[in-house]
Amino acid sequence: MSEINQNYVNGDWVQSATDEVIEVENPANPDEVVAKYQRSSTEDATAAVEAAAAVADDWAATPGPERGRILREAGTLLAERKEELTDLLVAEEGKAYAEANGEVQRAIDIFHYFSGKAADLGGTVKGPSATDQNLYTVQEPVGVASLITPWNYPIAIPAWKLAPALAAGNAVVLKPASAAPGVAIELARALDEAGLPDGALNVVTGSGSTVGSEFIGHDAVDAVSFTGSSEVGRMVYDQATDSGKRVQTELGGKNPTVVSNSANVAEAADIVANGGFGTTGQSCTACSRAIVHKDVYDEFVAELVDRAESIDIGPGSEHEMGPQVSADELESTLEYIEIAEEEGATLAAGGGVPEGSEVESGYFVEPTVFTDIDSDMRIAQEEVFGPVIAVIEVSDFDESVAVANDVPYGLSASIVTNDHTEANRFIDEVEAGVVKVNDKTTGLELHVPFGGFKRSSSETWREQGDSGLDFYTIEKTVYDSY
């Protein structure tokens, strides 16, 4: 594919100021270049912010129902292109077809959900102390919002940031991840065709150090929303807050599933395997620690190993589990596997690169299970971002909660139990922003808040649902005497 995808700025598809190109490979077949994108400059990013700032007041003044109509129409256009978008997502990111198809549907649902919310934005009426006075609040957009999104959910995460930002009346600049920017660009295409005013959304491809830094630091930017690694997230937070901007960061996780001695072990193994091996483990909410009661430990390990060894690995278009997104991600996962073995963990399943003609050239790794894990091992403390599950044996419920909390992250956590008291104590005591009972750590509803504790989040603003709108609005209190 020789055509270079352009940036979307002020309603036009425009050439970057640079001649540099990002080539996106198919991670299942790296010799195949799926698409080319511009490696944009600081000047390109500045132009995008200035375009957003120029239209921000007009877009904010657009009635909420009209903003909602545009979002609804964009969602309908995405639905008409669902198969095309799924194929593009699989080709660029490597995700299995069923997972990619579900992610595209999530983006469609998000646009339709926030299309209705746009008409509901208002405020509250309060009783004044004075006579002859009205006392009420109104919600207004914050202004220009910068969105910096990751590659692992390349359409869902841009959608769940973009839809509430636009619904609330903000002008937006978006930098998608360079590894898989195609589907985010298609969001812009759908919104453009749906009638979004020029400049209300601007999309620029390029590096975080160039485009992302300008999107964070520019004086015209009022709010920054970032999803990515904890290390980069801390830098984003510091840069944004130093210049007085509103900021939310959603970062990494080291998510546990506790398996009680009252659990159905086969069901627990299904839950852990789905949570840890789904999306090739490349999810911030993926289960990477199974914390298992000693009474069911051996049985659970056998069940989990069986599931790991039965997973069908290959190109995402045709197989159950696709590749990792890049050579660097594969190398990192294999390095963590090596570290775990060096620290004394026992490799119970996987641990290497699969063999076969369909997987010989891609960034594939086997679903991996480690046992004999101490909680202070790196494999039990650090985010791997690959299909690797560490199984930790515990003696009772209290120890399971202590181990679950014994990490610097706190994004998602689950418990598999038939004990009602255990379930409720776990909800109360676990340090995580998302808590599930008898369910996998992955998978989120779009109409409830999402965010983490500790290093998993800035702990400032939640995403999705009404909380997602809160980040993109600011309240004004009105005293109207007459």
Side-chain angles (χ1 to χ4, degrees):
M1 181 178 292
S2 58
E3 181 180 351
I4 300 172
N5 289 278
Q6 296 181 313
N7 295 326
Y8 179 69
V9 178
N10 202 27
D12 292 321
W13 297 97
V14 299
Q15 178 68 35
S16 167
T18 75
D19 293 325
E20 298 180 38
V21 173
I22 300 167
E23 291 189 344
V24 175
E25 305 168 340
N26 181 345
N29 179 16
D31 291 334
E32 176 192 345
V33 175
V34 178
K36 297 178 181 179
Y37 302 91
Q38 297 178 136
R39 191 180 300 278
S40 304
S41 67
T42 299
E43 290 76 15
D44 296 316
T46 301
V49 175
E50 290 175 349
V55 76
D57 288 345
D58 288 343
W59 178 239
T62 301
E66 172 60 13
R67 297 198 299 264
R69 184 201 64 75
I70 293 170
L71 291 176
R72 184 168 56 254
E73 176 62 19
T76 299
L77 291 169
L78 294 173
E80 293 172 357
R81 301 166 189 169
K82 184 178 179 182
E83 298 306 315
E84 172 189 341
L85 293 170
T86 299
D87 289 340
L88 178 59
L89 200 163
V90 171
E92 287 196 345
E93 199 268 350
K95 193 168 290 186
Y97 186 89
E99 295 169 340
N101 195 257
E103 183 182 341
V104 173
Q105 184 62 52
R106 170 55 62 95
I108 295 164
D109 293 344
I110 287 167
F111 271 78
H112 286 158
Y113 173 79
F114 282 106
S115 72
K117 286 291 184 180
D120 288 339
L121 283 170
T124 57
V125 177
K126 300 293 184 180
S129 298
T131 58
D132 302 328
Q133 186 181 73
N134 295 317
L135 180 62
Y136 59 94
T137 66
V138 293
Q139 286 178 285
E140 296 185 350
V142 295
V144 175
S146 288
L147 315 180
I148 302 173
T149 59
W151 51 261
N152 62 321
Y153 285 92
I155 192 168
I157 292 178
W160 83 44
K161 294 179 187 294
L162 179 56
L166 292 174
N170 297 276
V172 174
V173 292
L174 167 65
K175 193 205 86 65
S178 297
V183 282
I185 286 175
E186 292 305 315
L187 291 179
R189 203 178 307 279
L191 283 160
D192 180 76
E193 293 180 29
L196 188 71
D198 295 349
L201 169 63
N202 307 272
V203 183
V204 178
T205 55
S207 71
S209 59
T210 301
V211 176
S213 183
E214 180 67 1
F215 278 4
I216 298 164
H218 196 291
D219 288 343
V221 170
D222 300 288
V224 177
S225 180
F226 170 85
T227 299
S229 72
S230 295
E231 290 72 23
V232 176
R234 286 198 298 272
M235 291 188 288
V236 169
Y237 183 85
D238 289 343
Q239 184 182 356
T241 54
D242 283 349
S243 54
K245 299 179 187 349
R246 179 179 293 206
V247 60
Q248 68 178 181
T249 62
E250 293 304 336
L251 311 171
K254 193 64 183 173
N255 311 294
T257 294
V258 167
V259 180
S260 166
N261 60 345
S262 68
N264 179 305
V265 175
E267 178 185 353
D270 284 337
I271 287 171
V272 170
N274 289 335
F277 300 141
T279 66
T280 320
Q282 297 177 135
S283 171
C284 57
T285 56
C287 174
S288 60
R289 296 180 297 151
I291 302 170
V292 184
H293 193 283
K294 62 181 181 180
D295 291 350
V296 295
Y297 179 84
D298 290 340
E299 183 183 357
F300 174 83
V301 168
E303 293 276 3
L304 185 61
V305 166
D306 179 66
R307 283 154 182 76
E309 293 178 343
S310 67
I311 290 175
D312 175 38
I313 308 170
S317 56
E318 299 174 353
H319 295 270
E320 182 182 1
M321 192 177 92
Q324 297 214 254
V325 75
S326 67
D328 287 345
E329 289 295 328
L330 174 60
E331 181 181 353
S332 175
T333 297
L334 294 174
E335 182 179 350
Y336 268 111
I337 290 170
E338 182 179 347
I339 290 169
E341 292 185 283
E342 290 173 352
E343 289 186 329
T346 299
L347 182 63
V353 175
E355 297 179 352
S357 59
E358 284 193 295
V359 296
E360 61 184 0
S361 64
Y363 306 129
F364 296 95
V365 64
E366 295 171 324
T368 298
V369 178
F370 278 106
T371 60
D372 300 318
I373 300 290
D374 292 328
S375 187
D376 59 355
M377 290 179 175
R378 289 181 63 185
I379 198 69
Q381 288 289 319
E382 300 177 15
E383 186 176 40
V384 177
F385 227 64
V388 180
I389 299 174
V391 187
I392 304 171
E393 183 177 1
V394 293
S395 60
D396 56 28
F397 174 78
D398 288 334
E399 185 182 1
S400 72
V401 175
V403 170
N405 291 335
D406 184 29
V407 290
Y409 300 97
L411 186 54
S412 181
S414 72
I415 185 170
V416 186
T417 181
N418 285 320
D419 186 318
H420 189 63
T421 298
E422 282 186 347
N424 282 277
R425 280 193 58 195
F426 186 76
I427 292 167
D428 290 342
E429 297 172 26
V430 75
E431 297 167 355
V434 175
V435 186
K436 296 187 174 185
V437 177
N438 296 325
D439 200 358
K440 60 184 179 180
T441 56
T442 53
L444 303 167
E445 295 278 3
L446 61 86
H447 58 291
V448 291
F450 171 63
F453 293 174
K454 300 189 283 190
R455 284 183 58 187
S456 291
S457 170
S458 57
E459 298 186 335
T460 47
W461 307 84
R462 294 312 199 207
E463 295 195 276
Q464 304 199 98
D466 289 335
S467 295
L469 286 166
D470 290 342
F471 175 69
Y472 296 105
T473 58
I474 191 165
E475 279 193 313
K476 178 184 289 182
T477 303
V478 180
Y479 296 78
D480 174 21
S481 299
Y482 57 90

